[in-house]
């Protein structure tokens, strides 16, 4: 196990180097530079712009700068932002917790709802509950995240307020006028979490239902029932564990998608996370911040694949690492 | 299905018996009953699937509506780019504007058709590009194996490990493309999934006996790939296409919504939604329609894809 872990962790290094090289190349081959924002500033002459470029080191070829970047990152220095000269690590520290809270709340929301609904639907197959949940899952499967988010804002923030009902805030992480507390924080999370989680909820619900249906037809379930075990013991101890097994891999593979979705949801709800930071930094050619954001996404993705593999082994004793 | 082919065989046998006395050895070809082929049987299965048929109808309607945009424009009497500033944000059902108007007084229905044309074109082209690249790379990797396979699959690993949307944003910053360019950009990432799919299938096919037989009889590598392997990969490719199409509709919409996709004078469902989002407090229908169009298109193709998967996999039914 330890050997496997070490090998996998070592294998991540070339992969991450490959990704960073590709992303750095793409970013820097983009026409435009962080000094573009001085272009229409009458008090900054073209010569000054060249000077600023030189001071930032942007007149060096990009592949030379890449090695400088790698050297610095290896020493734990992510660089400074090209637009407001604050340390990149500081900007990440502000944004990353928000994104993590948003994504993992959505993950938990989707899991907590999808597992019982899926299992109940499989056990009571073709019941009204099963049919309704299947229809809802089919309907939510194709919903565009952006549209869902906007419709929720229209309903819960605009219309509910018009109708004089308790309404939810349309964006941000907390009430900027003060009076911010935990409930206020949660109130700001409800709509984004629902928006981000609902697609996964639909997919997982359907997945658990069908994998549970597969499992309860197996012989060993009949054996367990024939032994006279409690129906609940059979379902929870024998069926559930095997039905959830494939879900672990699926959840692992979906987490990167969740981060991608978080980027969109953050944009719709004006939620100040990594996704919003990525879009802003790309729009302003802020190479160092953009690089850090994309690499964070990449590291999370790669780590997450590893965790999914390890969890899979922990749940299924048949899997052996060597 | 098994019953049907039994019936067919019986008829064949009867035809043979009747032909025998007259002319030994020669069959009366007019009495031959051909058994339906794989795709005909798949179509029969699909036709029985009500949801898939409704989805197919909806998909055809959306395609006609989108690619018939000029006709829609003629019928509504409005163009997609010229607005009437005396009728800004008109509600649904305003005479002459069944879906109302947008913030520039343009007819939403007409713009939906033109936006759909761009969105559907981008997603269809993306499928074509991604499939061409993915099929080539996947079959080369699977067929030749060895070093080529390792290099290509590591490349796939790298691309898959970068969250798609960030890389797409990166490329779109670099190159603010038109509809065709945008589909090249999306396809530049989209080929990885289908290449893995095809590689796996080719790997399992290439060691079958009939491939060896073809090689022994002197078929070239290209001939084996195109004549013997490709037809067997076709059904998973069909399913992939119908499921990739809705995914790309959503991708295009997302990119255009974030302002990195199709640029504003050209309407697409995504950038219509982007324009509409600032008016969510004043006119909810303006936000509703473009998103609903994306939703309907993606739902229709997803359901059709599910139906196709069931229909093309005979093991499920026989």
């Amino acid at each position: 196990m330890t050997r496997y872990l070490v090998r996998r962790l070592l294998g991540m290094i070339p992969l991450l180097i490959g990704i960073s090289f590709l992303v750095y190349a793409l970013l820097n081959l983009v026409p435009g530079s962080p000094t573009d924002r001085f272009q229409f500033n009458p008090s900054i002459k073209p010569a000054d712009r060249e000077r600023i470029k030189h001071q930032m080191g942007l007149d060096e070829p990009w592949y030379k700068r890449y090695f400088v970047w790698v050297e610095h990152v290896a020493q734990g220095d992510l660089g400074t932002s090209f637009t407001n000269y604050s340390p990149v690590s500081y900007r990440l520290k502000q944004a990353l917790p928000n994104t993590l809270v948003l994504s993992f709340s959505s993950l938990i929301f989707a899991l907590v709802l999808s597992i019982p609904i899926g299992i109940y639907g499989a056990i009571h197959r073709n019941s009204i509950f099963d049919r309704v949940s299947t229809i809802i899952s089919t309907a939510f499967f194709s919903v565009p995240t952006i549209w869902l988010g906007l419709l929720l804002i229209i309903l819960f923030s605009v219309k509910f307020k018009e109708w004089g009902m308790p309404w939810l805030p349309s964006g941000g992480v907390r009430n900027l006028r003060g009076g911010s507390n935990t409930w206020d924080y949660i109130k700001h999370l409800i709509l984004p979490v629902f928006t981000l989680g609902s697609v996964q909820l639909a997919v997982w619900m359907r997945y658990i239902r069908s994998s549970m249906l597969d499992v309860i037809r197996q012989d060993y379930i009949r054996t367990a029932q024939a032994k006279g075990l409690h129906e609940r013991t059979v379902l929870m101890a024998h069926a559930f564990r095997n039905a959830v097994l494939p879900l672990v891999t699926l959840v692992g593979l979906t987490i990167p998608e969740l981060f991608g979705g978080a980027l969109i949801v953050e944009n719709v709800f004006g939620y100040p996370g990594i996704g919003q930071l990525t879009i802003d930094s790309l729009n302003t050619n802020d190479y160092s911040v953009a690089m850090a954001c994309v690499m964070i996404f990449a590291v999370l993705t790669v780590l997450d694949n590893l965790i999914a593999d390890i969890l899979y082994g922990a749940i299924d004793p048949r899997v052996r690492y060597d | 299905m098994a019953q049907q082919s039994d019936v067919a065989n019986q008829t064949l046998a009867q035809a043979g018996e009747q032909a025998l006395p007259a002319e030994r050895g020669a069959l009366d070809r007019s009495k031959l009953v051909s058994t339906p082929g794989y795709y005909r049987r798949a179509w029969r299965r699909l036709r029985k699937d009500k949801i898939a048929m409704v989805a197919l109808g909806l998909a055809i309607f959306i395609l006609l509506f989108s690619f018939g945009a000029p006709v829609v424009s003629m019928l509504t009497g409005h163009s997609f780019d010229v607005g009437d500033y005396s009728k800004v944000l008109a509600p649904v059902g305003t005479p002459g504007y069944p879906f109302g108007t947008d913030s520039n007084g343009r007819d939403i229905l007409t713009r939906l058709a033109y936006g759909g044309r761009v969105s559907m074109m981008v997603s269809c082209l993306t499928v074509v590009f991604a499939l061409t690249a993915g099929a080539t790379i996947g079959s080369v990797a699977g067929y030749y194996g060895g070093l080529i396979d390792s290099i290509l699959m590591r490349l796939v690993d790298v691309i898959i490990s970068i969250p798609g949307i960030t890389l797409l944003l990166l490329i779109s910053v670099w190159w603010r493309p038109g509809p065709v360019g945008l589909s090249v950009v999306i396809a530049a990432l989209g080929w990885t999934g289908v290449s893995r799919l095809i590689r796996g299938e080719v790997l399992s096919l290439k060691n079958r006996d009939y491939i060896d037989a073809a090689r022994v009889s002197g078929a070239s590598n290209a001939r084996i790939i195109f004549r013997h392997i490709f037809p067997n990969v076709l059904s998973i490719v069909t399913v992939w296409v119908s499921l990739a199409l809705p995914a790309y509709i959503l991708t295009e919409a997302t990119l255009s919504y974030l302002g990195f996709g199709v640029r504003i004078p050209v309407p697409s469902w995504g950038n219509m939604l982007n324009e509409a989002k600032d008016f969510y407090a004043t006119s909810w229908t303006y936000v509703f329609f473009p998103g609903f169009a994306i939703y309907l298109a993606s739902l229709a193709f997803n359901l059709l894809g599910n139906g196709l998967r069931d229909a093309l996999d005979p093991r499920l039914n026989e």
Side-chain angles (χ1 to χ4, degrees), chain A residues 15 18-19 22-23 26-27 29-31 138-144 146-147 150-151 153-154 158-159 162 170 206 260 263-264 267-268 278-279 282-283 285 294 297-298 301-302, chain B residues 154 157-163 165-167 169-171 173-174 176 250 253-254 257-258 260 273 277 280-281 283-284 287-292 294-295 298-299 302-303 306 309:
Chain A
L15 186 63
I19 295 170
L22 186 68
V23 173
L26 273 174
L27 260 179
L29 290 172
V30 172
T138 312
F140 268 98
F141 183 75
S142 317
V143 165
I146 305 162
W147 186 58
L150 288 171
L151 288 187
I153 291 177
I154 290 174
V158 181
K159 295 293 172 192
E162 270 176 30
S170 66
R206 189 194 280 185
L263 186 143
I264 300 161
N267 187 276
V268 172
T278 312
I279 295 177
L282 287 177
N283 273 329
N285 288 315
V294 179
F297 276 123
T301 311
V302 175
Chain B
R154 289 300 81 71
D157 285 347
V158 169
I159 295 183
I160 284 183
S161 300
I162 313 175
I165 189 86
T166 47
L167 199 55
L169 292 180
L170 262 174
I171 303 177
V173 171
W174 180 21
R176 281 294 165 92
L250 290 181
T254 306
Y257 174 82
L258 295 174
F260 290 87
L273 205 52
K277 73 164 192 285
Y280 68 77
S283 169
W284 69 270
V287 179
F288 178 79
F289 285 118
F292 190 62
I294 301 169
Y295 176 52
S298 124
L299 187 67
N302 266 325
L303 291 178
N306 286 338
R309 189 172 45 202

Side-chain angles (χ1 to χ4, degrees), chain B residues 2-305:
Chain B
Q3 277 180 341
Q4 252 179 15
S5 55
D6 278 353
V7 171
N9 284 338
Q10 245 174 19
T11 334
L12 243 173
Q14 282 169 0
E17 274 167 28
Q18 282 166 5
L20 273 178
E23 207 181 329
R24 231 183 139 74
L27 283 168
D28 181 357
R29 291 198 175 269
S30 67
K31 292 207 173 115
L32 265 177
V33 177
S34 64
T35 48
Y38 173 68
Y39 283 97
R40 177 160 296 197
R41 276 182 291 146
W43 167 240
R44 277 186 193 162
R45 279 192 290 265
L46 186 68
R47 229 170 27 191
K48 279 188 203 136
D49 186 347
K50 281 197 192 102
I51 297 178
M53 289 320 281
V54 172
L56 180 65
L58 192 58
I60 291 173
F61 169 74
I62 290 167
L63 286 173
L64 284 179
F65 175 72
S66 303
F67 289 103
V71 182
V72 175
S73 168
M74 257 168 54
L75 291 175
T76 56
H78 303 291
S79 74
F80 70 91
D81 52 356
V82 181
D84 179 350
Y85 278 93
S86 64
K87 292 194 185 87
V88 170
L89 293 177
V92 173
T94 308
Y97 300 95
F99 285 5
T101 61
D102 69 2
S103 52
N104 290 314
R106 296 171 296 196
D107 180 38
I108 289 181
L109 181 61
T110 315
R111 282 179 65 74
L112 276 183
Y114 276 92
R117 187 163 77 160
V118 173
S119 294
M120 296 308 294
M121 195 172 87
V122 170
S123 35
C124 291
L125 280 178
T126 306
V127 165
V128 172
F129 294 147
L131 188 59
T132 316
T136 316
I137 292 171
S139 47
V140 165
Y143 189 75
Y144 291 103
L147 188 64
I148 303 178
D149 184 31
S150 304
I151 293 175
L152 289 174
M153 286 304 115
R154 289 300 81 71
L155 181 67
V156 170
D157 285 347
V158 169
I159 295 183
I160 284 183
S161 300
I162 313 175
I165 189 86
T166 47
L167 199 55
L168 280 176
L169 292 180
L170 262 174
I171 303 177
S172 316
V173 171
W174 180 21
W175 182 37
R176 281 294 165 92
V180 180
L182 185 63
S183 44
V184 173
V185 171
I186 303 176
L189 297 183
W191 61 268
T192 49
V194 69
S195 78
R196 270 191 174 174
L197 204 66
I198 288 178
R199 173 181 172 271
E201 199 71 10
V202 170
L203 269 182
S204 86
L205 286 171
K206 77 170 177 183
N207 291 324
R208 304 271 172 95
D209 290 342
Y210 75 94
I211 300 291
D212 286 340
R215 186 167 297 121
V216 169
S217 40
S220 66
N221 279 332
R223 186 179 166 85
I224 290 176
I225 289 180
F226 285 108
R227 294 285 302 180
H228 299 285
I229 291 183
F230 186 68
N232 287 297
V233 182
L234 203 58
S235 68
I236 58 164
V237 166
T238 316
V239 174
W240 178 82
V241 166
S242 60
L243 294 176
L245 204 59
Y248 291 146
I249 293 174
L250 290 181
T251 310
E252 185 279 327
T254 306
L255 280 181
S256 298
Y257 174 82
L258 295 174
F260 290 87
V262 179
R263 284 185 145 181
I264 280 182
V266 183
S268 90
W269 288 336
N271 69 27
M272 282 175 75
L273 205 52
N274 183 27
E275 284 181 299
K277 73 164 192 285
D278 297 333
F279 300 91
Y280 68 77
T282 27
S283 169
W284 69 270
T285 49
Y286 183 18
V287 179
F288 178 79
F289 285 118
F292 190 62
I294 301 169
Y295 176 52
L296 270 190
S298 124
L299 187 67
F301 285 104
N302 266 325
L303 291 178
L304 181 61

Side-chain angles (χ1 to χ4, degrees), chain A residues 31-322:
Chain A
S33 105
T35 56
D36 278 357
R37 66 207 160 94
F38 302 128
Q39 202 171 353
F40 301 110
N41 187 337
S43 58
I44 294 179
K45 297 183 187 70
D48 296 332
R49 266 171 56 203
E50 286 308 313
R51 197 168 41 80
I52 295 170
K53 247 186 186 173
H54 178 71
Q55 282 169 350
M56 289 174 164
L58 289 170
D59 49 353
E60 299 277 338
W62 67 269
Y63 46 87
K64 275 191 186 164
R65 279 186 282 131
Y66 174 71
F67 289 109
V68 176
W69 181 83
V70 170
E71 212 182 300
H72 283 246
V73 170
Q75 296 166 6
D77 174 16
L78 291 171
T80 37
S81 157
F82 280 113
T83 47
N84 65 7
Y85 311 111
S86 55
V88 173
S89 50
Y90 173 72
R91 314 246 344 230
L92 288 183
K93 225 178 274 168
Q94 283 183 317
L96 191 59
N98 288 334
T99 302
L100 290 179
V101 167
L102 177 62
S103 331
F104 283 100
S105 313
S106 312
L107 184 77
I108 291 166
F109 162 75
L111 275 181
V112 162
L113 282 180
S114 63
I115 294 179
I117 296 177
I119 288 180
Y120 192 85
I123 296 171
H124 303 274
R125 203 182 170 192
N126 290 332
S127 63
I128 294 177
F129 179 86
D130 182 33
R131 286 192 185 166
V132 171
S133 68
T134 308
I135 290 173
I136 292 177
S137 125
T138 312
F140 268 98
F141 183 75
S142 317
V143 165
T145 315
I146 305 162
W147 186 58
L148 181 64
L150 288 171
L151 288 187
L152 288 175
I153 291 177
I154 290 174
L155 182 64
F156 289 104
S157 306
V158 181
K159 295 293 172 192
F160 268 40
K161 200 175 181 183
E162 270 176 30
W163 298 333
M165 295 210 279
W167 48 278
L168 289 166
S170 66
V173 267
R174 59 176 187 276
N175 191 350
L176 294 175
R177 292 207 182 104
S180 179
N181 50 27
T182 318
W183 167 235
D184 181 59
Y185 187 73
I186 294 172
K187 232 163 66 171
H188 281 83
L189 261 178
I190 295 175
L191 292 185
V193 164
F194 184 81
T195 312
L196 186 54
S198 58
V199 177
Q200 257 63 50
L201 173 63
V203 177
W204 292 343
M205 206 158 95
R206 189 194 280 185
Y207 198 82
I208 291 169
R209 181 180 172 274
S210 71
S211 94
M212 190 73 178
L213 276 179
D214 277 349
V215 168
I216 52 181
R217 284 199 206 112
Q218 304 271 324
D219 289 339
Y220 70 88
I221 297 293
R222 200 173 309 130
T223 312
Q225 282 169 334
K227 278 196 300 190
L229 289 180
H230 257 289
E231 193 62 18
R232 196 195 296 158
T233 319
V234 175
L235 287 176
M236 286 298 121
H238 293 78
F240 177 70
R241 195 166 163 153
N242 283 296
V244 168
L245 196 65
L247 186 75
V248 175
T249 329
L250 189 71
V251 170
L253 293 176
T254 327
I255 288 181
E257 246 174 70
L258 212 58
F259 289 128
L263 186 143
I264 300 161
V265 170
E266 282 170 16
N267 187 276
V268 172
F269 288 94
Y271 206 83
I274 292 281
Q276 196 59 32
L277 191 61
T278 312
I279 295 177
D280 289 344
S281 61
L282 287 177
N283 273 329
T284 52
N285 288 315
D286 195 346
Y287 298 148
S288 46
V289 176
M291 201 55 207
C293 290
V294 179
M295 286 315 289
I296 281 221
F297 276 123
V299 170
L300 287 173
T301 311
V302 175
L303 266 183
D304 166 76
N305 285 337
L306 177 63
I307 293 172
D309 285 349
I310 293 173
L311 271 184
Y312 194 71
I315 292 186
D316 188 347
R318 285 170 300 184
V319 176
R320 289 274 169 272
Y321 299 105
D322 42 29

